[in-house]
Amino acid sequence: MRNMLFAHGEEHVRLRGAFKTSLAKIGQRRLRATITRVADGLIDSFVGDGQADIVSQYAIPLPGAVLAVLFGFPAQECERLQQAILTLLAGGEEALDANAALHGLINAHVDRRRQEPRADLVTWLLEEGLSFDETRETVWLAINAGVGSSTAWTANTCALLARTEDTRIDLRSGLRHIPGVMREVLWDHTPVQQVIGRVATADADLYGTIVRRGDLLVVSPAGANLDHARIGGDSHRSTYAEDNSSHLSWGNGAHECPAQGLASALVQGGVERLWTRLDDLHLTDPDQPTRWNPSIIVRIPARLPVSWDARRARTRAETLAPLGDR
């Protein structure tokens, strides 16, 4: 594909540069307002119930909806776009059809923006000089990577909040903050567990393991991040992880994730808004072990049933709702 993931050298620098320049045009105020608006809409749909599956009702729809707005997709296409992405990332029998549907939606939208430019990421990519195919495939990469990783990061952070009373107490007392909890998740439950299908471009000796040029590799950030010999065992992980960003969840080198700021803002904004409105959320059945999605690529709970005091949440909503407009 003609995007930065599959390019190298000057071609990679050009494609990556166009993407990062386009990202930089998203104003922080606009980004925060978009995240808050989407988050509030999702929370409003279930806040009165006093319980929800925070994965399917919040963590999954939030990143896709925010990215759809930033890329300028029409509102009526957002649900189809998100469903296609999630089906593709699941890797089952329907993945190929989902990928075809996703390409169809992106093709139509890039063509739409060639004719009707707007203040969105697709327009800005075209203005940076990317061809139709390069723009289409850059959007494909950014949306798949963004939705898959941000959904899992949001869900895993919510899981830590809901399961661990000590974490909730520390947050209420100011001893911890959401960004620190998010970093802990990047160490222990990194959203992208394995990067499938990378090919070595040169011979290498990785600590005694010989890799030959042309070898097909599965790169495992999860394995790297869970190296107890480096970190010092379970008793030290929480403190170590909270203030340490030397994990490999973003990758490293020339192909390090170019959208770290956007992803961090998206997840932090979504989790903080949920915590602000439902600061008593907890697992509905704390004795039930977490059941994880079977994907070997993305680490995400299959379900996360949580509960809260609905009356208290409604009262907080009346006080906090205006904050989303600032």
Side-chain angles (χ1 to χ4, degrees):
M1 298 184 71
R2 299 187 66 185
N3 61 43
M4 63 190 124
L5 181 63
F6 299 101
H8 65 277
E10 293 182 1
E11 185 75 351
H12 173 257
V13 170
R14 180 179 67 85
L15 293 170
R16 183 182 173 93
F19 181 68
K20 294 194 70 171
T21 299
S22 299
L23 282 184
K25 294 180 181 180
I26 303 173
Q28 290 302 304
R29 183 173 181 178
R30 175 188 177 186
L31 178 59
R32 287 193 299 269
T34 300
I35 296 167
T36 302
R37 184 170 61 253
V38 172
D40 276 340
L42 293 170
I43 296 169
D44 288 343
S45 69
F46 56 68
V47 66
D49 299 334
Q51 59 183 1
D53 171 18
I54 219 65
V55 173
S56 65
Q57 293 178 256
Y58 192 71
I60 287 178
L62 177 70
V66 171
L67 290 177
V69 171
L70 297 180
F71 279 95
F73 282 90
Q76 64 270 22
E77 293 182 3
C78 289
E79 186 173 344
R80 291 170 55 206
L81 183 77
Q82 187 173 63
Q83 186 57 52
I85 294 166
L86 295 173
T87 302
L88 173 60
L89 292 175
E93 294 180 357
E94 299 176 351
L96 289 176
D97 288 341
N99 189 46
L102 180 59
H103 273 292
L105 288 166
I106 294 174
N107 280 348
H109 184 52
V110 173
D111 188 55
R112 181 188 299 131
R113 283 295 172 262
R114 284 201 303 183
Q115 301 177 47
E116 302 174 9
R118 301 284 177 85
D120 58 41
L121 284 168
V122 173
T123 297
W124 296 329
L125 287 169
L126 291 168
E127 289 176 350
E128 285 299 311
L130 297 195
S131 68
F132 180 93
D133 288 344
E134 290 170 342
T135 301
R136 177 193 64 195
E137 293 173 11
T138 296
V139 173
W140 180 95
L141 172 63
I143 288 182
N144 272 295
V147 170
S149 59
S150 297
T151 292
W153 193 8
T154 300
N156 295 341
T157 305
C158 290
L160 182 57
L161 293 180
R163 183 171 291 281
T164 312
E165 176 64 18
D166 286 349
T167 299
R168 298 195 295 272
I169 291 173
D170 287 348
L171 285 170
R172 294 189 192 104
S173 61
L175 295 176
R176 298 190 70 184
H177 51 30
I178 294 297
V181 178
M182 289 165 56
R183 274 195 294 272
E184 182 180 342
V185 168
L186 288 180
W187 279 98
D188 291 346
H189 299 290
T190 185
V192 179
Q193 298 278 286
Q194 272 72 237
V195 181
I196 306 296
R198 304 304 290 166
V199 178
T201 59
D203 294 345
D205 182 344
L206 298 178
Y207 294 93
T209 297
I210 303 301
V211 177
R212 298 298 184 190
R213 182 174 183 267
D215 282 351
L216 182 65
L217 306 177
V218 176
V219 182
S220 179
N225 289 354
L226 294 173
D227 183 356
H228 285 212
R230 177 183 177 85
I231 297 170
D234 289 337
S235 62
H236 300 284
R237 288 194 65 81
S238 180
T239 303
Y240 181 94
E242 172 119 8
D243 298 317
N244 193 305
S245 297
S246 63
H247 54 76
L248 290 180
S249 292
W250 299 115
N252 198 14
H255 284 273
E256 184 179 51
C257 174
Q260 296 177 35
L262 173 59
S264 298
L266 201 167
V267 175
Q268 182 178 339
V271 175
E272 284 184 341
R273 195 60 177 172
L274 184 71
W275 176 247
T276 297
R277 295 191 57 177
L278 305 176
D279 70 341
D280 62 336
L281 80 134
H282 55 275
L283 290 181
T284 302
D285 185 359
D287 295 327
Q288 185 73 23
T290 301
R291 182 167 60 87
W292 297 95
N293 186 288
S295 172
I296 64 171
I297 300 175
V298 177
R299 172 77 163 178
I300 184 171
R303 295 183 69 250
L304 190 68
V306 300
S307 302
W308 59 87
D309 184 331
R311 181 179 299 179
R312 183 170 181 271
R314 283 194 296 269
T315 301
R316 287 176 66 82
E318 294 173 359
T319 304
L320 295 169
L323 294 179
D325 298 326
R326 294 182 182 179

